[in-house]
Amino acid sequence: MFRCGINRWCAGEEKRVDSRTVYVGHHPTPGIETFLPPSFCDNRIVSSKYTYWNFIPKNLFEQFRRIANFYFLIIFLVQVIVDTPTSPVTSGLPLFFVIIVTAIKQGYEDWLRHKADNSVNKSPVYVVNEGRIVEKQSEKIQVGDIVCVREDETFPCDLILLSSSRDDGTCYVTTASLDGESSQKTYFTVPDTSAFRTDREVDSLNATIECEQPQPDLYKFVGRVNVFCDKQEPTARSLGPENLLLRGATLKNTDKIYGVSIYTGMETKMALNYQGKSQKRSVVEKSINVFLIVYLCILVSKSLVGTTLKYVWQSDPGNDEPWYSAKTGKEKNANKLLKMFTDFLSYMVLFNFIIPVSMYVTVEMQKFLGSYFITWDKDMYDAHLGEGALVNTSDLNEELGQIQYVFTDKTGTLTENNMEFIECCIDGFKYKNVGIDLCVVDGISSNDGPRSRVCGMAGKEKEELFLRALCLCHTVQVKEDDKVDGLVKQQGCECTYISSSPDEVALVQGAKKLGFTFQGVENNRMKIQNRDSEIEMYELLQVLSFDPVRRRMSVIVKESSGKIFLYCKGADSSIFPKVKAGKQEEIKLHVERSAVDGLRTLCVAYKELTQDEYDQISAQLHEAKMALKDRDKKLEEAYDDIEIDLHLIGATAVEDKLQDQAAETVEALHSAGMSVWVLTGDKMETAMATCFACRLFHTNMKLLELTTKNIQEFKARNEAKVHELLLELHKVVVQDKRCSSLSLLRSWSATQEYGLIIDGAALSLIMKPTQDGSTSNYKNLLLQICHRCTAVLCCRMAPLQKAQIVKMVKNTKDHPITLAIGDGANDVSMVLEAHVGIGLKGKEGRQAARNSDYAIPKFKHLQKLLLSHGHLYYIRIAHLVQYFFYKNLCFILPQFLYQFFCGFSQQPLYDATYLTFYNICFTSLPILLYGLLEQHISIEILKKDPSLYRNIANNALLQWKPFLYWTFLGLFNGLVFFFGAYFLYDNSALAENGQVYGNWTFGTIVFTVLVFTVNLKLVLDTRYWTWLNHFVIWGSLAFFVVFSFFWGGIKWPFLKQQRMYFVFAQMLTSVSAWLTIILLITVSLVPDFVVKLLNKPLEKGRLQCHNAKKVADIAGNCLNLQESCKTWDQSEWKVLAGIQKYLVYNKAADSVSTPRSPVEPLLARSFSVES
């Protein structure tokens, strides 16, 4: 560990420079006289938090950072130092119990981390040393070692691929453990090192690698390799992410590879990605802290009152110094202020149990154990994936019941992310693929035999050019067999297409159905088979990779005839500005129509390059790729310069189907009172179609647009345009209750619903600081508009903009609780930003699932996670928190009242053992079981009626009103306990023999009533009974009785004075004591009986009102619709006809008789939907 610390310190020193130089195989380069290898950290992975020597101090420090723990530590020290009325054991033992339990839990978790670390660090690896393979432990790998990895083995550190056993110098890798993507990725060797394939050859390699310092981005890497050969000038080659094999990834379908380690141990990208996750706190935890402060104020107030009244009492000399207790000289000469302060501390110690320290342990155990119910839920298990829900953090279980805003991604979250080629547009003519033998060309059916000899209106030359572009412009790989999960086996063919993007596979499949088959890459030459079954070969010269900013990718290929072409595909917004020729208007129209149908579109373009133009491009790209600093920026500039003056060929449309029950889930979330926002990078028309399909938007919703197109309609400068448009929308949705002229649709109901559509460019203008450096005015207007809207669609959003939207909403004045759900790497930022992050185990990788708080297989599982689990978790923990404060107030109030009858002498009412065990043994387990198992409403009802979720919104059960109810209930019970027993003592002779009972019997009666009352209250509150509840509640009461007999029935040799000897047994011989206990328990529970009796008719009335309101809403909507339709003009009926296809309705409703008016079937469908 000391060596690891030194390594980390050394690594920190080394990080001060921008790059590092790695000597391959630790061989010095020619021309260096003295070789001093640089120092880097070793390959040891440390995920553990503690070591054997720092566990105790570090764990104690972290635990005492909690206010409650630190407070009880101070109280314990006061009891040890100052002469207090109670033993230090009373506060020390509960604190010791809490600390020990927490330490054991955290220590066990860290021991598991140590165990996992050792299994990785001690695993065998194979390193090339002096021309032969040597076995080492993984932790002993050093930067510069040449490592040999065989098939199905994982990479022990981050490696640069030097050579592969495959002839083409590639290797296949799966990164499922890093980002969840099960598809194979292809990595490439450097051409100058690919020939070194044996142990001796690779050991003879003389090269250095210059690369950037470690950084956590899995998909970025900048470096270059210098290969020295026979004292010539070194050959320099650029290195990128395609050459970097990451630790944790697995080698597939390749016998073996050689790689040089460049990042090791805690500097690998995998290790860096598991650090720095922010801690989220639930709203319940914040409420606990507020209530804790209130009870701390009550504690201080009680102590001040006790101290003041003590000195008022002692102002009478007869009370200050009675004849039987004369003061010593030391007491008479003591500093009065110091004595008052000591008395104040003594009262603090006496009343300190009003602060429930054990509540923190109970809450932690409830969250930890309760999270398993989500994992075990069979309804959230997906048979196709073979996985269920996963809880990454149990601290936010109750937050699932408080969600107000849901931010969801579209692709892969609302949709399946299972792409299918539907249609394409070539040179302005639409080709819809219905099958292998049939194509539809702009509505004209043509059947030209097998392999669909598509020769339609575009002409054969244009068709082949378009299909050739689809076969060449991609990063798809061909694999002969199908051994890897997540791959699509091509029917009728022995090959499998592999790609990290489902879109690319769908396009290659579509081209294949239309007669052009991509057959793979051999020796950097792409091979395709055309419609005439002829093989065409193209030399792959350059790949201009796709990135989410450019939103396009290109390839430069060379035909066998020597012609050089650049093929480019990408989003329409990124292709059209680069195009100078082609039927732009016709293709743009097809793209918009496809987007309205909910299809994902891409545009395809090309241009021919001369040899001189290519040479210039190659030099420009080489210069950018060789840069170690700002390589991404230079490549982006080079790509923009190259991808210009393109000829537009056509566009493609692929379908991404809606997930099962996605629409029903969105409707349920709306019914539960949540606002659902869709944040997507797709174009507006595609996203709108999906929103209509999943019922986020509906036909009687007025859609408002805040997009670049609308902003450009205003003639002022951009900032003024945004402000004017925001004011106009604000007037429509907030100020003006009448129908706005911005929409032809009229209000169909008493309350008009609005939907807002905003794009990334408009959001950038809104978030852009004004001249005075503020954006608050625009943000406030936008937030007011959004707050009034039922649904919001944000399209063309960059990942960072998604996080900005979430942050903007959650930082508003009301501080609503937000949830973000997504499945891809581009959703990670918003998942981390939201109060609760949900990751889907989708096809875009599992980075979102890894970085989330909860991971679920499908979007439909969100409904049960929130409406059932979230609802119950919140109810349980809210009751648990209020109950803890209540039972401790009941516990301490009689102690405070007792001071008025004992001359404020700080005499304890309860025995020290009762003080210690009250929260640990007598009342802790029943409320823990309640917090785990209670179902005040059955799960089935919660699923059927999402509106029940509204009842607990805005932290309803932990507001001041319920808190004050529980507090007054605790005050009432405390008064009943104390004064009931006090009035019993009017008859001082309680035993049959006339014996007078003392103060310990009085305290025992009060404590007995207390223990039975707080446990029986839980009996009244419990609605879902299991044998565990019975066992724990009645077992706790039985344990109290048995323990009291046992504790008072034996003379314990370690006690100096035994106050409770035979007290409990003697008390129970009195009939008066029995009657008092039963009477006081009954009186204490009267308020609970009254509340329950009053609540039953209220609940029944609420249910009837709820059902009546539903019926009234349906009828009112239909009547309003009929009235509105009478005044519609022809243009408005056209709008209705255009959007009617998005209306989702039950097929049974179509059995209506022939309508007398165009709106009649619509009315029938609305009734079907509402019913």
Side-chain angles (χ1 to χ4, degrees), residues 313-330:
W313 168 267
Q314 290 181 352
S315 60
D316 183 350
N319 294 333
D320 185 34
E321 192 175 0
W323 59 270
Y324 55 82
S325 181
K327 288 184 177 181
T328 63
K330 184 178 180 181

Side-chain angles (χ1 to χ4, degrees), residues 1068-1089:
L1068 294 184
T1069 60
S1070 170
V1071 177
S1072 301
W1074 276 92
L1075 292 174
T1076 300
I1077 291 170
I1078 295 171
L1079 179 63
L1080 294 183
I1081 292 172
T1082 304
V1083 173
S1084 299
L1085 294 175
V1086 164
D1088 294 282
F1089 284 110

Side-chain angles (χ1 to χ4, degrees), residues 817-1075:
I817 306 302
T818 58
L819 178 146
I821 178 169
D823 71 319
N826 59 335
D827 302 316
V828 170
S829 54
M830 76 169 180
V831 165
L832 292 176
E833 184 64 48
H835 291 95
V836 179
I838 308 289
L840 253 64
K841 301 174 179 180
K843 297 180 181 179
E844 286 190 14
R846 296 197 179 175
Q847 279 187 294
R850 283 175 46 243
N851 287 277
S852 64
D853 304 303
Y854 301 88
I856 55 178
K858 297 290 182 184
F859 182 77
K860 66 180 180 180
H861 298 136
L862 185 64
Q863 181 176 351
K864 187 173 186 182
L865 183 68
L866 299 185
L867 303 186
S868 298
H869 288 291
H871 189 116
L872 293 176
Y873 281 135
Y874 176 76
I875 293 288
R876 292 164 181 167
I877 201 164
H879 196 284
L880 183 149
V881 170
Q882 299 279 30
Y883 179 82
F884 256 98
F885 283 110
Y886 152 79
K887 72 185 182 74
N888 278 35
L889 183 59
C890 294
F891 182 39
I892 290 303
L893 182 60
Q895 177 71 74
F896 174 70
L897 297 173
Y898 185 61
Q899 298 308 303
F900 289 86
F901 297 89
C902 68
F904 303 99
S905 61
Q906 298 154 6
Q907 168 68 29
L909 175 63
Y910 311 117
D911 180 61
T913 310
Y914 285 160
L915 287 171
T916 305
F917 284 1
Y918 174 71
N919 280 316
I920 296 177
C921 300
F922 302 148
T923 60
S924 59
L925 284 179
I927 186 60
L928 175 61
L929 261 293
Y930 178 95
L932 289 173
L933 303 176
E934 174 61 10
Q935 293 181 25
H936 68 298
I937 301 174
S938 72
I939 291 178
E940 291 304 316
I941 293 177
L942 289 175
K943 288 169 64 178
K944 290 178 182 177
D945 190 357
S947 62
L948 293 171
Y949 193 88
R950 297 172 183 258
N951 299 337
I952 60 170
N954 298 313
N955 200 18
L957 301 185
L958 289 175
Q959 297 292 340
W960 288 110
K961 187 175 179 181
F963 174 72
L964 290 175
Y965 166 76
W966 282 90
T967 302
F968 283 120
L969 187 63
L971 291 172
F972 172 77
N973 286 354
L975 291 170
V976 169
F977 299 159
F978 181 81
F979 287 107
Y982 174 76
F983 288 126
L984 171 68
Y985 265 65
D986 282 347
N987 177 14
S988 56
L990 298 177
E992 293 179 357
N993 57 5
Q995 182 179 355
V996 178
Y997 286 168
N999 63 310
W1000 295 114
T1001 304
F1002 175 76
T1004 303
I1005 290 176
V1006 173
F1007 190 79
T1008 303
V1009 176
L1010 166 70
V1011 171
F1012 274 83
T1013 300
V1014 297
N1015 279 295
L1016 290 176
K1017 174 172 174 48
L1018 206 57
V1019 171
L1020 294 176
D1021 291 342
T1022 302
R1023 299 189 185 183
Y1024 183 77
W1025 284 95
T1026 65
W1027 68 268
L1028 275 174
N1029 296 85
H1030 286 288
F1031 176 77
V1032 168
I1033 290 177
W1034 310 120
S1036 295
L1037 294 175
F1039 175 76
F1040 162 69
V1041 174
V1042 172
F1043 175 81
S1044 298
F1045 273 112
F1046 184 69
W1047 178 247
I1050 300 174
K1051 291 183 178 180
W1052 300 100
F1054 53 84
L1055 295 177
K1056 295 181 180 178
Q1057 49 183 356
Q1058 196 159 344
R1059 301 162 177 168
M1060 296 298 294
Y1061 182 67
F1062 229 68
V1063 168
F1064 189 78
Q1066 191 70 20
M1067 178 194 75
L1068 294 184
T1069 60
S1070 170
V1071 177
S1072 301
W1074 276 92
L1075 292 174

Side-chain angles (χ1 to χ4, degrees), residues 484-682:
V484 181
D485 296 336
L487 303 180
V488 182
K489 185 79 175 178
Q490 306 304 305
Q491 297 192 11
C493 182
E494 298 179 355
C495 64
T496 302
Y497 291 137
I498 304 168
S499 178
S500 58
S501 169
D503 294 81
E504 289 195 328
V505 173
L507 294 180
V508 173
Q509 289 174 343
K512 181 180 177 182
K513 288 181 179 180
L514 297 175
F516 272 71
T517 305
F518 173 64
Q519 295 189 341
V521 181
E522 294 179 5
N523 298 321
N524 211 37
R525 301 179 79 82
M526 302 182 79
K527 183 167 67 171
I528 62 176
Q529 179 181 332
N530 62 23
R531 286 188 295 203
D532 299 321
S533 299
E534 297 172 349
I535 301 299
E536 300 179 4
M537 302 294 291
Y538 296 85
E539 183 182 354
L540 180 61
L541 300 177
Q542 299 285 349
V543 176
L544 281 60
S545 303
F546 174 87
D547 67 71
V549 178
R550 271 174 49 246
R551 297 177 64 81
R552 61 181 180 270
M553 68 91 61
S554 301
V555 295
I556 300 177
V557 296
K558 188 174 185 179
E559 289 184 346
S560 54
S561 63
K563 291 183 179 180
I564 300 175
F565 288 93
L566 180 144
Y567 292 105
C568 181
K569 75 169 187 285
D572 59 316
S573 59
S574 65
I575 294 291
F576 281 123
K578 299 287 185 179
V579 169
K580 76 168 186 179
K583 296 183 179 180
Q584 296 184 43
E585 292 302 321
E586 293 87 341
I587 293 175
K588 188 174 184 180
L589 182 62
H590 278 286
V591 167
E592 289 175 353
R593 287 178 179 174
S594 298
V596 167
D597 292 335
L599 303 177
R600 292 166 60 89
T601 58
L602 286 175
C603 292
V604 182
Y606 85 104
K607 74 173 178 179
E608 187 174 353
L609 301 173
T610 64
Q611 186 64 47
D612 292 339
E613 287 175 331
Y614 173 71
D615 292 339
Q616 185 179 352
I617 289 172
S618 180
Q620 188 179 4
L621 289 175
H622 180 74
E623 182 183 354
K625 289 179 179 179
M626 294 302 293
L628 288 181
K629 188 175 182 181
D630 298 329
R631 177 186 290 185
D632 291 336
K633 183 179 179 181
K634 291 177 181 178
L635 280 173
E636 183 181 348
E637 292 172 354
Y639 291 164
D640 281 337
D641 292 340
I642 296 167
E643 295 167 327
I644 57 173
D645 299 334
L646 302 176
H647 296 262
L648 189 62
I649 318 173
T652 63
V654 297
E655 183 182 23
D656 190 5
K657 293 182 181 178
L658 207 64
Q659 278 199 20
D660 181 35
Q661 298 182 32
E664 290 82 353
T665 302
V666 170
E667 279 191 333
L669 297 180
H670 270 307
S671 301
M674 298 176 220
S675 297
V676 181
W677 292 28
V678 175
L679 312 182
T680 178
D682 273 358

